[in-house]
Amino acid sequence: MATEDPENRGDKRRGSNNGYSTTPSSYPIEESETQWTSWLVPIFVVINIAMFIVVMYVNDCPKNNSGFQGNCVARFLGRFSFQPLKENPLFGASSSTLKKLGALEWDKVVHRHQGWRLVTCIWLHAGVIHLLVNMLSLVFIGIRLEQQFGFVRIGITYLFSGFGGSILSALFIQNNISVGASGALFGLLGAMLSELLTNWTIYTNKAAALLTLLIIIVINLGLGILPRVDNFAHIGGFLTGFLLGFVLLPRPQFGWLEQRSVPTSTIPIVRSKYKPYQYVLWLISLVILIAGFVVALVMLFRGENGNHHCHWCHYLSCIPTSKWDCDEIN
């Protein structure tokens, strides 16, 4: 996951504007909005690391005839040693261990009524490399967003995006397990994009910010077409976060903020906290979000296969080439 911060707000200066920072476009950004202390995202990181340690402790690397851990990697770690690289090239546990501890598995979700796997899989990772990449991305993206918007909105975005990614993954990938926080992370990227769009007027260098963010998103989604990568979780998380950004992350318009700090006789009265287009985007996004979750969950627990309704969608997760066959790998 790329971690660049493309949203350049320009220089922030405390001057005579009653505690607000001004940009060249004369739209202030309240400095208190950037003063949240980030504690939830670090907790998420700790939980993910702790869950990986639990997975590796429970994992039992196969032993040879002499009772030693045959082809296991880093055997000096004892029971924390990794599965053979042919089985798990990401330096992690076996598939059976991940299944035991809550990996997303379509059959168990639908036929054994284990819907909780749609949530638990978000906190599991296939290996050290998988964990490291996701946690670094979460730190760089999540802490910045939590500092700006607070733990409630970012926590909701992260968790619901992960849930949305799990639902879409289960609808389209029914023969393999899925783990990882990537869906939740893509949700944060989606929220960054919708936040930029819904608060468009307060940004400087907005075109450059939009272009940079779109490039980051396209590159990361593009990597999802490689084998062994669950791009449906990425797409589901991204769409959920994108819609939640319009619902949870709009900023009050300039006049509303200013009239709270200066005499109203000196500025025009702004009666609405948000601009009309922000209300429209809020309503449309909320309706689509609720409808999408309801329809997707109904389809999932009825046992439907998303590929039967979209015959080309499997290419979104893996494109076959002369180097690999998606059916054999996935």
Side-chain angles (χ1 to χ4, degrees):
M1 297 272 303
T3 56
E4 293 94 340
D5 180 4
E7 298 184 3
N8 178 15
R9 299 181 184 276
D11 295 332
K12 290 188 175 183
R13 304 180 181 88
R14 183 182 294 274
S16 58
N17 288 319
N18 301 289
Y20 293 102
S21 301
T22 59
T23 67
S25 58
S26 300
Y27 281 88
I29 302 172
E30 195 170 10
E31 289 189 355
S32 61
E33 290 181 1
T34 63
Q35 298 305 309
W36 293 87
T37 298
S38 177
W39 59 268
L40 185 62
V41 168
I43 287 179
F44 284 165
V45 173
V46 171
I47 293 174
N48 278 279
I49 295 175
M51 285 301 302
F52 182 75
I53 294 174
V54 170
V55 168
M56 295 308 303
Y57 181 81
V58 173
N59 184 58
D60 188 12
C61 193
K63 298 177 174 60
N64 57 25
N65 295 331
S66 302
F68 297 100
Q69 294 170 326
N71 296 323
C72 296
V73 179
R75 284 180 289 175
F76 64 89
L77 294 175
R79 67 180 305 126
F80 290 97
S81 58
F82 309 124
Q83 291 295 115
L85 293 182
K86 288 184 178 181
E87 181 180 345
N88 187 343
L90 297 177
F91 298 96
S94 65
S95 297
S96 59
T97 300
L98 292 172
K99 290 179 183 178
K100 185 189 305 183
L101 294 180
L104 180 60
E105 192 174 5
W106 178 83
D107 179 67
K108 292 182 179 180
V109 171
V110 176
H111 295 134
R112 302 188 187 182
H113 310 292
Q114 297 180 6
W116 47 268
R117 289 179 178 272
L118 294 168
V119 177
T120 55
C121 68
I122 303 170
W123 307 99
L124 301 175
H125 287 82
V128 173
I129 297 176
H130 191 200
L131 177 71
L132 183 62
V133 171
N134 277 352
M135 292 305 98
L136 287 175
S137 300
L138 178 57
V139 167
F140 281 102
I141 298 174
I143 288 180
R144 177 258 187 195
L145 287 174
E146 187 180 356
Q147 288 173 339
Q148 283 196 328
F149 297 101
F151 71 94
V152 173
R153 289 182 281 182
I154 298 308
I156 291 174
T157 301
Y158 181 87
L159 295 175
F160 272 86
S161 296
F163 184 57
S166 297
I167 294 173
L168 196 65
S169 175
L171 278 173
F172 285 92
I173 300 179
Q174 301 186 351
N175 298 321
N176 294 281
I177 66 171
S178 179
V179 294
S182 298
L185 292 171
F186 270 86
L188 296 181
L189 279 177
M192 289 175 66
L193 178 59
S194 54
E195 188 271 330
L196 173 62
L197 295 175
T198 195
N199 301 313
W200 185 256
T201 56
I202 68 174
Y203 283 98
T204 59
N205 301 324
K206 56 192 71 175
L210 178 61
L211 179 61
T212 304
L213 187 55
L214 287 175
I215 291 174
I216 293 172
I217 293 169
V218 169
I219 290 175
N220 282 282
L221 287 176
L223 293 175
I225 65 176
L226 297 174
R228 303 186 188 277
V229 179
D230 183 1
N231 211 28
F232 287 112
H234 298 170
I235 295 171
F238 175 81
L239 293 176
T240 302
F242 181 71
L243 293 172
L244 280 172
F246 289 119
V247 175
L248 298 176
L249 306 183
R251 296 179 185 271
Q253 60 175 313
F254 167 61
W256 173 269
L257 294 173
E258 189 178 50
Q259 70 186 10
R260 297 168 57 190
S261 304
V262 299
T264 56
S265 58
T266 62
I267 60 172
I269 297 178
V270 177
R271 301 188 181 278
S272 177
K273 184 175 183 179
Y274 300 104
K275 295 191 174 183
Y277 77 88
Q278 290 177 304
Y279 286 110
V280 172
L281 289 172
W282 182 90
L283 179 61
I284 294 175
S285 299
L286 185 62
V287 171
I288 295 176
L289 190 65
I290 294 175
F293 268 98
V294 170
V295 171
L297 285 171
V298 169
M299 290 179 61
L300 175 61
F301 287 105
R302 287 178 58 184
E304 296 191 30
N305 189 331
N307 293 292
H308 295 163
H309 300 274
C310 179
H311 300 291
W312 55 268
C313 285
H314 62 280
Y315 292 117
L316 295 175
S317 187
C318 182
I319 296 180
T321 70
S322 58
K323 299 295 183 180
W324 61 72
D325 186 313
C326 293
D327 292 331
E328 293 180 359
I329 294 178
N330 293 331

